[in-house]
Amino acid sequence: TRLQGDWSSDVCSSDLLLLYINDLPNGLKNLLFRVFADATNLFASACDLKSLETLINSELEKVKEWCHVNKLSINLSKTNYMIIKSSRKTSGNIEIQLQSMDGSFHLFTKKDHIKYLDESLTWKYHISYICSRVYISNIGIVSKLRHYLSIHQLKQIYYNLIYPYVS
């Protein structure tokens, strides 16, 4: 299961935020973390959906407490989850929820794909995303500039506009 959350804080620089939240994974041994500049992915696994639901909901309470102690908040409206499974298994629903500051419970939205992966571990959404980013915004620019710039300049543009998406 992948749970993605966005963190909010008073820390301005993404590097400082990474240093600030660096110890988040230390107290949570049942989750695997992928920490980015302003978002964190949490991964958990279990033998069945009910165990997974119980595990994630209990671990999310610990994450929420860690955020509270460190004066951070979880942007509940941008937090969602995805169940990654074999294509041979049927999909089921679980309820991932977290109590918000006002005491109400927020139910997270289940996604069937994210920017770079879908629940059956195929890359079709990622490939589509990369193609749209490269083709729509950048290929046209390079195509128009090819008449006015040298090969060296066009390569520089390629490495600035297209290569980051391909790599």
Side-chain angles (χ1 to χ4, degrees), residues 20-156:
Y20 192 69
I21 65 170
N22 197 33
D23 70 329
L24 172 62
N26 293 343
L28 300 157
K29 302 299 181 204
N30 294 320
L31 298 176
L32 177 66
F33 288 79
R34 294 289 181 251
V35 180
F36 302 100
D38 63 347
T40 299
N41 290 326
L42 310 175
F43 296 88
S45 62
C47 295
D48 58 78
L49 288 177
K50 190 64 182 165
S51 300
L52 184 63
E53 179 180 340
T54 303
L55 172 69
I56 292 176
N57 283 323
S58 67
E59 293 296 303
L60 276 178
E61 280 299 321
K62 295 175 188 174
V63 170
K64 184 180 85 170
E65 180 61 29
W66 183 92
C67 288
H68 177 72
V69 166
N70 289 282
K71 299 184 180 4
L72 292 170
S73 62
I74 300 172
N75 188 338
L76 297 176
S77 66
K78 291 185 177 182
T79 303
N80 53 65
Y81 74 96
M82 181 176 77
I83 297 176
I84 299 172
K85 60 177 179 46
S86 165
S87 59
R88 295 181 303 236
K89 291 191 175 186
T90 59
S91 186
N93 287 327
I94 60 176
E95 286 191 4
I96 305 298
Q97 61 183 358
L98 194 61
Q99 190 172 13
S100 52
M101 298 304 249
D102 65 3
S104 63
F105 281 89
H106 177 80
L107 192 62
F108 294 122
T109 305
K110 180 183 178 192
K111 301 284 185 174
D112 63 351
H113 70 277
I114 52 174
K115 182 166 47 174
Y116 52 87
L117 193 62
D118 69 22
E119 64 185 8
S120 297
L121 298 177
T122 65
W123 298 99
K124 72 179 184 179
Y125 290 101
H126 181 61
I127 292 167
S128 176
Y129 171 77
I130 296 298
C131 289
S132 69
R133 298 299 301 169
V134 168
Y135 184 75
I136 291 172
S137 58
N138 298 322
I139 295 293
I141 293 170
V142 174
S143 176
K144 289 177 184 174
L145 291 175
R146 77 181 190 276
H147 302 293
Y148 305 103
L149 300 176
S150 69
I151 292 291
H152 177 71
Q153 292 168 321
L154 289 171
K155 282 183 183 179
Q156 286 180 317

